[in-house]
């Protein structure tokens, strides 16, 4: 370190930024490979085998292919918005890494509203999704982004409501604070089971994962909001999706599964292990269920998830108040 | 019906026929009576099976085949449309009496230029709307570099064939509804089908299938080929369930020639057809669930289908477009290793069926996506001439293997599953149960395939003069062929009544009011094969 605080800070930002981008790319490559392997195992197949050991380099080859592909631009699209959309989907997911607590020392910024920041940032991606559909000027893309907006608005509510119980228990919005509050037991086993289930279901929907992938719905809308995208722009959507899955899982781990805490292994390893476990469950769900219809999706959010999330807040609040009055 | 026809319409000709010919009676009525006749058939619960046109020197003969499910009772009513100099031949339309007639009449207009008076939407069905030819007329000899080729090329360049793109700037502010071309390139139209959807948001106001993208005019090809050369085309009609189409043609010609296949050939035919039926339903199931967004069952279905294809490859040497049957028998005998393979497959597949039920049938999302969706009532189904699993799902217990028994089906033990709801869920359940029934047939047959020859030896190359109609039950429904033979080496006219054609015509009835996702589910549940529709 140079001793100059400004320079130090700058260096830290550059270093951390590079690390995050590196991690996001490698993570996406790994997740795509894992998804292929997991889906293959579920579907009586072998998955990629030929490029690298067990096909590990297959996704690298695909990435090279995507980078070298032509970037098409539909004639009737709103060009600047069309090009902006993939960036808007991808960039916020990187920014969210700012506050993810990999270990006690590792969040770049341990903001006291880190929790809110993550949710605000992940929501920006939906503006990108909407823009992608709107700017493409294609009916399928428009339908896809229409569905995405409806889905986002509906599922944001249960997602945030389900985390309120945790916040009540922890008494802080700081990510590391929430993890520390779980030193005596994960929130999942301390009465937040309903919240965990609601969170996972809503997070699946927020990340556009099957069975909630109606904005993409390739059998209905061809490819939904990114129908008109090709090459690296398409790859950015893809990266954004896998990063979103990772972030959702990481937040679930932080809120419910005790974050980095665990015996023997160093904290970041525990954090990643738990996160990838959740990611595995997410993939498992994707390859097992048919897709919901959009109205059923809305009904699930408004009629099932939100009431349960509210009930959870009520019960948690009552419980905490009882505890306090007894103590 | 017979008595009514003779007494009140006083047909110009009336003939009772041998029930074995597939038609009970035949009547030639004046064109002024045809609507009256159709209405009476409708009130008495008959439905329209097909409309065929035959081009004779001075007139077009319009042949209506009416049928009544149950033990098949087929009636053939004909009328003539005289050719006049300078004006188009015409006939009254019966599309308001039988909805099924709508597409049949459009096809007739398309192929023969025959105008149906009173038809609500008389435009071309299989050829592009700008086409100027009527290819099935005997006077049409083909024009390889003719107007149609040029027109098609122009169309591709100008992109005006109803594909007009509407940009937001051109939309008025109050306009909420819009059109969406689902296809011809779309992952879920199972081929090159275009569905022109009129949507309000995602809600479907109405929709109309647009056909003809894989049209090859096989009926014209039949007319310029001899009977033997027609064989390979049948495997290419319904490429998923090609055996049943082989069966249909073999059955027709054998009936016309008055011959019967050898017992061994009969048994092998049924065995192969039922195996093919299972593989066809498996392919349907996989792709249907893919339409619903479930990926995994697709691979399970294809795994099982692969085993069946391997077995059929042993017998036929082909994996998809089978061309295995011959008049009076088969192309060649099955190899020794085939029967053990079938025997091994039966218990394996039984286990697999249980897996499918666990994976799919009991899935709550699957049930909520399919229950009560795309309902086709019994009356609607009959009105549109729907057949096969779609009809059985609507509560009509009809299966030509039972009702119009052919080959060795009467000696076999199997059920015809029926359901009453007529929704997507019922169609799914029916096909699942049909696979079990087909498996039952296979396991019965594999034990008792008689020894002997599989061919009858040399046969005459022509079919005796006359008219013949035969129908068999394919995986998708009743596949009928109407043959007019003039005793020469080529068929004079061979009309195919394909099951998906009629089943798809009922599609417009099922979709209004549902969502875009449901359109895909309903389309998948009908189980269409495009080359068979477009022919």
């Amino acid at each position: 370190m140079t001793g100059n605080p400004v320079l130090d800070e700058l260096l830290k930002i550059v270093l951390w930024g590079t690390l995050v981008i590196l991690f996001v790319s490698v993570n996406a490559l790994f997740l795509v490979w894992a998804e292929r392997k997991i889906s293959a195992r579920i579907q009586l197949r072998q998955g990629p085998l030929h490029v690298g050991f067990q096909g590990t380099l297959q996704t690298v080859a695909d990435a090279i292919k995507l980078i070298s592909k032509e970037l098409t631009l539909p004639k009737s699209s709103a060009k600047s918005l069309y090009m902006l959309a993939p960036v808007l989907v991808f960039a916020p997911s990187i920014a969210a890494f700012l506050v993810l607590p990999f270990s006690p020392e590792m969040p770049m910024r341990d903001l006291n509203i880190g929790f809110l920041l993550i949710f605000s940032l992940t929501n920006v991606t939906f503006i990108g999704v909407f823009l992608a559909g709107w700017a493409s000027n294609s009916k399928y893309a428009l339908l896809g982004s229409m569905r995405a907006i409806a889905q986002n608005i509906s599922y944001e509510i249960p997602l945030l409501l389900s985390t309120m119980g945790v916040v009540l228990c922890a008494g802080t919005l700081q990510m590391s604070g929430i993890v520390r509050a779980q030193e005596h037991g994960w929130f999942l086993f301390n009465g937040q089971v309903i919240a965990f289930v609601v969170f996972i279901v809503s997070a699946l929907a927020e990340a556009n994962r099957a069975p909630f992938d109606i904005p993409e719905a390739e059998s209905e809308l061809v490819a939904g909001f990114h129908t008109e995208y090709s090459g690296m722009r398409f790859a950015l959507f893809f990266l954004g999706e896998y990063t979103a899955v990772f972030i959702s899982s990481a937040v679930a781990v932080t809120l419910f599964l005790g974050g980095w805490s665990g015996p023997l292994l160093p904290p970041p390893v525990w954090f990643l292990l738990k996160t990838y476990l959740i990611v595995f469950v997410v993939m498992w769900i994707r390859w097992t269920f048919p897709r919901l219809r959009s109205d059923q999706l809305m009904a699930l959010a408004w009629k099932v998830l939100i009431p349960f999330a509210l009930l959870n807040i009520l019960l948690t609040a009552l419980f905490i108040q009882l505890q306090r009055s007894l103590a | 019906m017979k008595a009514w026809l003779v007494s009140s319409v006083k047909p110009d000709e009336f003939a009772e026929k041998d029930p074995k010919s597939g038609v009970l009676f035949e009547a030639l009525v004046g064109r002024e009576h045809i609507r009256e006749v159709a209405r009476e058939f409708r009130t008495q619960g008959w439905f329209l099976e097909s409309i065929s046109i035959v081009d004779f020197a001075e007139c077009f003969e319009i042949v209506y085949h009416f049928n009544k499910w149950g033990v098949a009772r087929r009636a053939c009513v004909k009328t003539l449309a005289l050719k006049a100099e300078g004006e188009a031949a015409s006939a009254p339309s019966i599309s308001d009496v039988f909805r099924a007639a709508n597409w049949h009449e459009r096809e007739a207009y398309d192929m023969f230029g025959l105008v149906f008076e009173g038809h609500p939407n008389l435009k071309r069905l299989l050829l592009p709307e700008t086409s100027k030819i009527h290819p099935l007329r005997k006077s049409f000899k083909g024009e390889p570099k003719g107007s149609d080729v040029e027109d098609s090329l122009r169309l591709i360049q100008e992109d005006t064939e109803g594909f007009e793109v509407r940009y937001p700037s051109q939309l008025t502010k109050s306009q909420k509804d819009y059109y969406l071309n689902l296809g011809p390139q779309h992952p879920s139209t199972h081929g090159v089908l275009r569905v022109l959807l009129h949507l309000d948001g995602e809600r479907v106001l109405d929709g109309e299938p647009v056909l003809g993208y894989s049209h090859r005019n096989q009926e014209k090809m039949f007319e310029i080929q001899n009977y033997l050369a027609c064989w390979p085309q049948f495997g290419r009609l319904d490429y998923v369930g090609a055996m049943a189409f082989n069966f249909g043609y073999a059955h027709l010609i054998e009936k016309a020639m008055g011959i019967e296949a050898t017992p061994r050939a009969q048994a092998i035919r049924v065995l192969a057809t039922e195996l093919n039926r299972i593989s066809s339903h498996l392919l349907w199931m996989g792709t249907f669930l893919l339409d619903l967004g479930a990926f995994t069952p697709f691979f399970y279905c294809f795994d099982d289908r692969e085993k069946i294809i391997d077995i059929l490859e042993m017998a036929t040497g082909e994996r998809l477009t089978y061309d295995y049957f011959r008049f009076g028998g088969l192309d060649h005998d099955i190899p020794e290793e085939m029967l053990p393979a079938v025997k091994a497959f039966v218990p394996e597949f039984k286990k697999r069926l249980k897996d499918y039920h666990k994976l799919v049938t009991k899935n709550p999302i699957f049930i909520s996506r399919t229950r009560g969706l795309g309902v086709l009532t019994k009356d609607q189904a009959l009105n549109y001439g729907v057949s096969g699993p779609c009809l059985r799902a609507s509560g009509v217990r009809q299966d030509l293997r039972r009702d119009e028994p052919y080959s060795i089906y009467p000696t076999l033990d199997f059920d015809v599953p029926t359901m009453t709801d007529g929704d997507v869920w019922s169609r799914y359940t029916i096909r699942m149960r049909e696979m079990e029934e087909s498996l039952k047939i296979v396991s019965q047959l594999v034990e008792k395939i008689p020894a002997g020859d599989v061919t009858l030896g040399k046969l005459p190359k022509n079919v005796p003069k006359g008219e013949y109609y035969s129908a068999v039950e394919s995986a998708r429904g009743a596949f009928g062929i109407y043959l007019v033979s003039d005793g020469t080496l080529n068929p004079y006219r061979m009309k195919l009544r394909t099951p998906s054609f009629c089943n798809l015509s009922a599609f417009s009835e099922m979709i209004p009011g549902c969502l875009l996702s449901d359109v895909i589910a309903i389309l998948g549940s009908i189980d269409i094969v495009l080359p068979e529709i477009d022919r």
Side-chain angles (χ1 to χ4, degrees):
Chain A
M1 292 290 144
T2 53
N4 182 336
V6 179
L7 249 147
D8 263 8
E9 192 55 34
L10 222 74
L11 208 69
K12 200 179 164 191
I13 289 173
V14 171
L15 213 82
W16 186 253
T18 321
L19 263 177
V20 165
I21 288 181
L22 205 70
F23 178 78
V24 165
S25 314
V26 173
N27 175 57
L29 288 181
F30 170 70
L31 285 186
V32 172
W33 174 81
E35 176 127 51
R36 281 181 176 174
K37 278 294 184 191
I38 291 167
S39 68
R41 287 293 155 197
I42 293 173
Q43 298 170 345
L44 308 168
R45 295 184 290 124
Q46 294 282 334
L49 276 178
H50 293 288
V51 191
F53 173 69
Q54 285 289 306
T56 33
L57 294 179
Q58 183 66 49
T59 44
V60 179
D62 286 350
I64 293 168
K65 183 202 78 175
L66 276 175
I67 290 167
S68 58
K69 281 222 159 180
E70 184 193 354
L71 293 173
T72 52
L73 194 65
K75 221 187 255 175
S76 57
S77 62
K79 300 198 173 47
S80 50
L81 292 182
Y82 177 84
M83 289 188 270
L84 180 67
V87 181
L88 266 185
V89 170
F90 181 58
S93 340
I94 297 185
F97 275 85
L98 198 66
V99 284
L100 275 189
F102 283 84
S103 74
E105 306 82 33
M106 266 204 24
M108 156 87 176
R109 283 279 183 275
D110 201 8
L111 299 177
N112 53 7
I113 51 152
F115 174 81
L116 281 182
L117 187 75
I118 285 202
F119 285 102
S120 338
L121 282 173
T122 47
N123 260 335
V124 175
T125 59
F126 270 84
I127 299 175
V129 168
F130 172 66
L131 274 186
W134 182 256
S136 300
N137 203 0
S138 138
K139 283 167 188 166
Y140 289 119
L142 187 64
L143 278 170
S145 58
M146 241 164 66
R147 289 176 172 192
I149 294 301
Q151 183 175 336
N152 181 41
I153 291 171
S154 305
Y155 276 84
E156 201 54 36
I157 300 164
L159 187 77
L160 282 171
L161 285 180
S162 68
T163 57
M164 282 306 121
V166 172
V167 174
L168 281 177
C169 292
T172 172
L173 289 173
Q174 198 173 22
M175 292 301 259
S176 59
I178 293 172
V179 177
R180 284 197 189 92
Q182 298 181 64
E183 267 163 10
H184 307 297
W186 298 355
F187 282 139
L188 173 60
F189 303 123
N190 276 352
Q192 295 296 324
V193 183
I194 302 175
F196 180 69
V197 175
V198 173
F199 182 87
I200 289 289
V201 174
S202 313
L204 275 176
E206 283 278 300
N208 290 341
R209 295 286 295 186
F212 307 107
D213 60 342
I214 60 160
E216 284 176 43
E218 65 290 297
S219 59
E220 297 154 22
L221 300 182
V222 187
F225 60 88
H226 58 63
T227 305
E228 306 291 339
Y229 283 86
S230 72
M232 206 51 211
R233 290 199 190 109
F234 164 75
L236 281 184
F237 282 118
F238 217 62
L239 273 174
E241 185 187 319
Y242 279 99
T243 315
V245 171
F246 180 84
I247 291 174
S248 299
S249 308
V251 171
V253 167
T254 314
L255 296 185
F256 298 101
L257 300 181
W260 63 68
S261 58
L264 298 174
L265 297 170
V269 177
W270 269 114
F271 184 80
L272 285 179
L273 267 181
K274 287 177 190 172
T275 306
Y276 284 126
L277 181 75
I278 302 259
V279 171
F280 169 71
V281 174
V282 167
M283 288 177 179
W284 189 5
I285 291 171
R286 172 173 181 182
W287 297 108
T288 320
F289 286 104
R291 184 182 303 118
L292 280 167
R293 204 169 57 202
S294 39
D295 58 328
Q296 293 166 344
L297 192 81
M298 297 303 143
L300 180 66
W302 293 96
K303 291 183 186 163
V304 182
L305 296 181
I306 293 180
F308 270 105
L310 286 172
L311 182 76
N312 179 62
I313 297 179
L314 188 74
L315 289 179
T316 314
L318 267 178
F319 183 72
I320 292 173
Q321 194 55 40
L322 266 177
Q323 238 179 359
R324 276 192 201 151
S325 352
L326 287 176
Chain B
M1 192 67 228
K2 221 183 292 179
W4 177 87
L5 201 69
V6 175
S7 63
S8 56
V9 182
K10 302 200 172 54
D12 303 338
E13 282 171 31
F14 185 86
E16 297 249 5
K17 286 243 180 167
D18 181 8
K20 271 188 189 167
S21 70
V23 178
L24 291 188
F25 60 91
E26 202 177 279
L28 179 71
V29 301
R31 46 170 288 181
E32 65 279 10
H33 291 302
I34 195 68
R35 287 179 55 79
E36 189 190 339
V37 171
R39 238 176 267 129
E40 185 62 23
F41 271 112
R42 175 102 175 99
T43 30
Q44 297 212 11
W46 295 59
F47 73 97
L48 181 72
E49 202 166 25
S50 79
I51 299 179
S52 326
I53 318 289
V54 189
D55 183 4
F56 291 114
E58 309 89 42
C59 62
F60 292 112
E61 190 180 60
I62 308 170
V63 186
Y64 299 86
H65 282 101
F66 295 100
N67 199 345
K68 203 167 180 176
W69 295 133
V71 178
R73 283 168 283 184
R74 191 172 288 114
C76 174
V77 177
K78 295 175 176 177
T79 189
L80 299 178
L82 291 175
K83 287 180 189 172
E85 201 66 45
E87 59 180 302
S90 69
S93 163
I94 59 163
S95 59
D96 53 336
V97 186
F98 288 104
R99 295 287 182 81
N102 191 317
W103 277 18
H104 286 301
E105 287 176 357
R106 276 178 66 188
E107 189 193 329
Y109 166 71
D110 196 359
M111 294 294 146
F112 292 93
L114 193 60
V115 174
F116 286 89
E117 291 150 7
H119 191 286
N121 183 23
L122 194 66
K123 57 181 186 193
R124 288 186 180 265
L125 185 69
L126 297 176
L127 296 182
E129 273 168 45
T130 52
S131 176
K132 294 183 189 75
I133 56 173
H134 297 292
L136 275 181
R137 283 183 178 175
K138 286 286 172 193
S139 57
F140 180 80
K141 299 290 181 200
E143 33 182 328
K145 280 184 184 158
S147 52
D148 251 32
V149 179
E150 271 169 35
D151 270 346
S152 307
L153 289 174
R154 191 174 52 77
L155 272 176
I156 292 165
Q157 278 159 5
E158 286 181 10
D159 186 35
T160 52
E161 200 198 350
F163 278 104
E164 77 269 44
V165 186
R166 296 187 182 194
Y167 299 119
S169 58
Q170 288 165 295
L171 291 175
T172 56
K173 270 185 186 154
S174 61
Q175 195 177 0
K176 270 166 68 196
D177 53 328
Y178 61 102
Y179 287 89
L180 179 73
N181 279 305
L182 194 79
Q185 281 93 35
H186 187 277
S188 301
T189 51
H190 298 253
V192 274
L193 170 71
R194 171 152 70 102
V195 184
L196 187 61
L197 286 174
H198 187 189
L199 297 169
D200 173 12
E202 273 206 51
R203 188 76 52 185
V204 177
L205 299 174
D206 50 47
E208 184 201 359
V210 182
L211 310 180
Y213 290 94
S214 49
H215 175 59
R216 289 163 289 182
N217 213 334
Q218 294 197 313
E219 287 168 18
K220 186 78 177 178
M221 286 198 254
F222 292 146
E223 287 176 20
I224 55 176
Q225 285 171 334
N226 64 37
Y227 286 96
L228 204 60
C230 292
W231 268 117
Q233 296 197 33
F234 282 89
R236 281 155 183 77
L237 279 164
D238 178 355
Y239 53 82
V240 183
M243 282 298 181
F245 278 60
N246 272 256
F247 217 138
Y249 187 48
H251 184 51
L252 172 87
I253 302 296
E254 279 160 20
K255 206 154 78 175
M257 290 199 196
I259 53 174
E260 214 167 274
T262 61
R264 183 174 173 80
Q266 301 262 26
I268 295 172
R269 276 180 181 186
V270 173
L271 179 74
T273 308
E274 293 308 318
L275 279 173
N276 195 209
R277 192 185 307 276
I278 296 175
S279 81
S280 163
H281 281 351
L282 278 173
L283 183 120
W284 164 79
M285 186 188 169
T287 50
F288 168 62
L289 287 161
L290 205 60
D291 291 348
L292 291 177
F295 291 86
T296 302
F298 181 79
F299 290 92
Y300 280 74
C301 293
F302 267 62
D303 183 49
D304 278 337
R305 183 171 170 268
E306 192 67 23
K307 288 173 197 154
I308 298 177
I309 289 177
D310 284 343
I311 291 172
L312 290 178
E313 192 188 359
M314 289 176 198
T316 62
E318 290 150 309
R319 291 174 67 82
L320 197 67
T321 54
Y322 306 116
D323 171 20
Y324 184 45
F325 293 12
R326 292 289 176 271
F327 309 127
L330 300 165
D331 187 44
H332 51 265
D333 207 343
I334 51 170
E336 273 170 29
E337 68 269 23
M338 181 170 153
L339 289 182
V342 176
K343 271 177 203 157
F345 170 76
V346 172
E348 241 176 82
F349 187 63
K350 262 187 195 144
K351 246 184 249 162
R352 244 335 158 44
L353 271 173
K354 276 183 200 149
D355 286 348
Y356 291 137
H357 285 302
K358 265 187 231 159
L359 187 66
V360 181
T361 315
K362 288 172 189 161
N363 187 308
I365 298 179
F366 174 72
I367 294 172
S368 67
R369 285 281 317 261
T370 53
R371 272 270 163 90
L373 178 70
V375 174
L376 194 65
T377 61
K378 195 172 170 175
D379 187 54
Q380 281 171 334
L382 288 175
N383 201 353
Y384 276 100
V386 170
S387 59
C390 294
L391 184 67
R392 293 193 276 276
S394 293
V396 183
R397 195 179 156 82
Q398 171 274 329
D399 189 326
L400 290 176
R401 291 176 292 174
R402 271 272 173 270
D403 302 335
E404 201 182 322
Y406 54 94
S407 192
I408 56 165
Y409 280 112
T411 65
L412 295 166
D413 169 41
F414 66 99
D415 281 337
V416 179
T418 325
M419 290 187 88
T420 48
D421 296 343
D423 55 0
V424 174
W425 165 260
S426 311
R427 279 170 228 144
Y428 166 81
T429 316
I430 291 282
R431 291 203 178 90
M432 289 300 281
R433 283 168 58 190
E434 272 187 37
M435 284 200 261
E436 283 167 32
E437 296 305 325
S438 289
L439 198 67
K440 214 153 93 184
I441 297 177
V442 169
S443 54
Q444 284 168 45
L445 266 177
V446 80
E447 300 296 337
K448 52 169 191 191
I449 288 193
D453 227 346
V454 292
T455 51
L456 288 180
K458 228 168 168 52
L459 289 169
K461 280 187 176 164
N462 63 337
V463 169
K465 197 173 172 178
E467 290 162 29
Y468 310 95
Y469 191 97
S470 88
V472 296
E473 185 76 16
S474 85
R476 266 146 273 277
F479 168 54
I481 312 176
Y482 174 65
L483 169 69
V484 179
S485 166
D486 55 357
T488 57
L489 294 178
N490 304 354
Y492 185 77
R493 168 89 173 104
M494 188 140 70
K495 153 86 184 174
L496 306 173
R497 184 261 183 221
T498 49
S500 298
F501 182 81
C502 299
N503 294 357
L504 185 65
S505 69
F507 180 58
S508 307
E509 197 75 31
M510 294 186 247
I511 52 171
C514 67
L515 293 172
L516 186 59
S517 322
D518 298 336
V519 173
I520 305 291
I522 296 169
L523 189 65
S525 76
I526 304 175
D527 188 13
I528 49 167
V529 169
L530 261 299
E532 177 224 283
I533 295 171
D534 290 347
R535 281 162 288 152

